[in-house]
Amino acid sequence: MEITYRTINQSDDNDLALIIKSTLIEYNSATDGTVFTDEGTNALSTTFNDPRSRYFVAYSGEELLGGAGINLLPGESDEVCELQRMFLKPSARGKGIGKKLMQLCLDFAKKQNYKLCYLETFPALKEAIYLYEKTGFNYIDHSMGNTGHFACTTRMVYHLA
């Protein structure tokens, strides 16, 4: 299976929203205070339109497998970004695709001179958390920024510099 990676465009929006929402349903995490209810989840191509933000997607042929993004973290200094909306179809998990998407995001964040990358997730997303740990993300005991994702109780940071 050959995987191609590129930045998001508007034609990806509907399929990505479906991947994100179905994953949250799969992990019993489709609730308020998550990206499940964020309007931006339905139009990620416009959510990631700041010059210092980027959303990457993975494809196998014509099939969208998932994506991940880096965005400014509202309410924090301009040295802090957030790894956002990293979701894959079940068939794409465990194949290194998430790792590659995350690396594209972290490399982009470094080029944008961010110093710290923050993320929020759920304890149920054990596979993703394991990947974050292996990459070097460390747990913190408080939320950062103004994400509005009060239901995300696992918080981590990665030092980019």
Side-chain angles (χ1 to χ4, degrees):
M1 170 166 63
E2 184 179 333
I3 308 300
T4 57
Y5 300 89
R6 63 166 172 76
T7 57
I8 191 172
N9 62 48
Q10 191 174 12
S11 66
D12 301 315
D13 284 347
N14 289 338
D15 289 340
L16 273 170
L18 182 61
I19 290 169
I20 291 168
K21 291 179 179 186
S22 63
T23 300
L24 291 171
I25 291 168
E26 173 189 351
Y27 284 91
N28 205 22
S29 300
T31 182
D32 285 337
T34 71
V35 297
F36 190 82
T37 57
D38 281 1
E39 274 304 309
T41 299
N42 296 321
L44 289 181
S45 63
T46 58
T47 301
F48 289 83
N49 62 3
D50 184 278
R52 292 185 74 210
S53 70
R54 189 72 39 95
Y55 195 91
F56 298 94
V57 293
Y59 271 85
S60 173
E62 298 296 313
E63 181 187 9
L64 176 61
L65 302 175
I70 284 290
N71 213 339
L72 305 163
L73 182 56
E76 293 290 334
S77 81
D78 65 359
E79 294 183 339
V80 181
C81 63
E82 183 181 16
L83 180 66
Q84 296 180 343
R85 293 169 175 86
M86 190 166 110
F87 290 91
L88 295 171
K89 285 183 171 180
S91 62
R93 297 177 196 153
K95 296 181 166 102
I97 298 166
K99 180 179 180 179
K100 174 68 174 177
L101 285 166
M102 184 172 49
Q103 197 57 57
L104 288 168
C105 289
L106 295 176
D107 289 346
F108 174 79
K110 288 176 186 175
K111 289 177 185 166
Q112 299 304 308
N113 296 314
Y114 289 114
K115 305 292 183 230
L116 188 71
C117 183
Y118 172 74
L119 69 80
E120 301 173 320
T121 190
F122 302 93
L125 297 173
K126 292 179 183 4
E127 299 91 344
I129 292 170
Y130 178 69
L131 176 58
Y132 303 143
E133 290 172 341
K134 277 181 43 176
T135 301
F137 277 86
N138 297 299
Y139 292 94
I140 59 172
D141 61 1
H142 61 283
S143 63
M144 293 178 64
N146 303 321
T147 66
H149 299 150
F150 56 84
C152 298
T153 58
T154 300
R155 300 164 186 113
M156 304 175 89
V157 292
Y158 179 85
H159 294 274
L160 294 159

